[in-house]
Amino acid sequence: MRRPRRLLRRVLVLALVAVLALLGLGAGGVWWATDHYGDQVARIPDAFPKGPRPPESPGHDGGTTFLLVGVDSRSERPTTGSDATARLWKYGAQRSDTLMLVHLSGDERSASTLSLPRDSWVAIPGHGSAKINAAFSWGGPPLLIRTVEQLTGIRVDHFGVIDWHGFRSLTDAVGGVPVTIAHDTYDPEQNRHFTAGTHVLNGEQALAYVRQRHGLPGGELDRIERQQQFLRSLVGRIGNSVGITDPLGTDRMLDAITGAVSVDDRMSNGDLRSLAFGLRHLSSENTRFATAPIIRSDMIRGQYALILDRPALRAQARAVEAGHPPGAEPTTARR
């Protein structure tokens, strides 16, 4: 599998502060904007689990680790962002579809991302073993955070989430997102054809594109790479849609972002402000991607599952937490 390329400042759930950095606002502008728009960001109460949490490892670089999640909501109404009119979590109604651990280094000059496939077969506290995406379905953000922390051995500092309503609305808000498809593919699960070439996808088309895994040689891992590719293009599109000389366009875009995403209630406006300043130092040269290492795919209780190399995963996670490159490319498990 090709190495996933480049990241942060282009991560969807953190798009709000990334856009502030892209605007090149001065200190006063960032201060005002993070307070103004930060007040509009939906906060998730009690997102973190109670009880013992992983301590910082001896090699921790003093940075911040985010768990970023896309949820596959069965609600007909939005569940994330300030536009939400339904509950973020209801038992059995949503599953996490995209999981990324993103670590911004202590010196705010590098970032590392570790993607966790949704089909990873893991231990879920209080529920035995299942696919990792079941943790959100069974216990919302607290159980998902505890599951990820138990799996990786590192502590999550902040949590961000977007549902598919928000995903579609953001895509449409920027007038569609260009993607380049290398080969014709057919997804029998969605009954959709994707033709080779560069296409500008609207919200509905984009959602189908990033959800495809049937018909892709690498299955779930190819889908992860598609998601990373799409996020880079989406936030690049956001950057092209805003600017100092277009305050109305900028306001509309930031309203769209805050309408779509939710973060934990421990993330203050001051945290957003610090993150905005830190993101100014990042570039494609000092951002790194990795995907959890996989031993094999398997069928367990009638479900397709990915078996992780847990010792290697923990080593990758510690490297991420220490601000080092997160490790080798993953094994591709084919369906």
Side-chain angles (χ1 to χ4, degrees), residues 27-214:
V30 172
W31 190 278
W32 175 85
T34 50
D35 274 343
H36 176 74
Y37 289 104
D39 287 341
Q40 299 179 41
V41 175
R43 295 329 203 266
I44 305 166
D46 303 318
F48 288 91
K50 295 179 172 60
R53 306 273 307 285
E56 288 187 357
S57 65
H60 194 286
D61 69 349
T64 306
T65 301
F66 302 84
L67 177 59
L68 307 183
V69 178
V71 293
D72 182 0
S73 172
R74 293 171 174 81
S75 172
E76 295 182 356
R77 296 179 292 156
T79 61
T80 64
S82 60
D83 289 343
T85 57
R87 292 171 57 187
L88 169 64
W89 175 76
K90 181 179 179 181
Y91 184 87
Q94 301 97 348
R95 289 195 171 216
S96 57
D97 198 65
T98 302
L99 291 169
M100 292 181 179
L101 280 171
V102 180
H103 181 79
L104 183 63
S105 66
D107 62 8
E108 300 178 332
R109 294 185 178 276
S110 66
S112 299
T113 291
L114 182 58
S115 292
L116 303 172
R118 70 172 189 174
D119 290 330
S120 302
W121 193 260
V122 303
I124 299 178
H127 296 271
S129 295
K131 292 184 182 183
I132 195 170
N133 65 348
F136 189 91
S137 180
W138 291 337
L143 183 57
L144 178 60
I145 291 172
R146 185 174 293 284
T147 299
V148 170
E149 290 184 334
Q150 177 178 283
L151 175 67
T152 62
I154 67 172
R155 186 184 183 96
V156 171
D157 299 309
H158 288 296
F159 178 82
V161 61
I162 185 170
D163 67 8
W164 293 139
H165 292 278
F167 181 91
R168 286 192 295 260
S169 67
L170 274 181
T171 302
D172 289 334
V174 298
V177 174
V179 299
T180 299
I181 301 173
H183 307 286
D184 290 354
T185 61
Y186 171 67
D187 183 350
E189 188 174 72
Q190 301 186 84
N191 190 27
R192 282 183 177 266
H193 291 272
F194 298 90
T195 57
T198 298
H199 309 273
V200 178
L201 306 182
N202 63 26
E204 181 181 357
Q205 295 166 335
L207 182 57
Y209 174 74
V210 300
R211 296 184 73 183
Q212 183 188 6
R213 57 175 173 162
H214 298 277

Side-chain angles (χ1 to χ4, degrees), residues 6-11 14 61 64 66 101-114 275 278-279 281-290 319-321 323-326:
R6 306 177 184 175
L7 170 70
L8 204 48
R9 153 176 113 167
R10 304 198 184 283
V11 173
L14 297 178
D61 69 349
T64 306
F66 302 84
L101 280 171
V102 180
H103 181 79
L104 183 63
S105 66
D107 62 8
E108 300 178 332
R109 294 185 178 276
S110 66
S112 299
T113 291
L114 182 58
L275 187 57
L279 289 171
H281 304 302
L282 290 175
S283 68
S284 60
E285 288 71 33
N286 54 19
T287 57
R288 284 100 51 164
F289 271 113
V320 166
E321 193 177 47
H324 300 314

Side-chain angles (χ1 to χ4, degrees), residues 205-249:
Q205 295 166 335
L207 182 57
Y209 174 74
V210 300
R211 296 184 73 183
Q212 183 188 6
R213 57 175 173 162
H214 298 277
L216 298 178
E220 175 68 10
L221 299 182
D222 281 355
R223 191 175 77 103
I224 288 173
E225 186 172 359
R226 277 191 169 195
Q227 291 170 351
Q228 293 169 344
Q229 172 209 37
F230 184 86
L231 293 181
R232 288 192 301 271
S233 186
L234 170 61
V235 182
R237 194 80 157 183
I238 290 172
N240 292 333
S241 300
V242 299
I244 298 294
T245 59
D246 184 11
L248 292 179

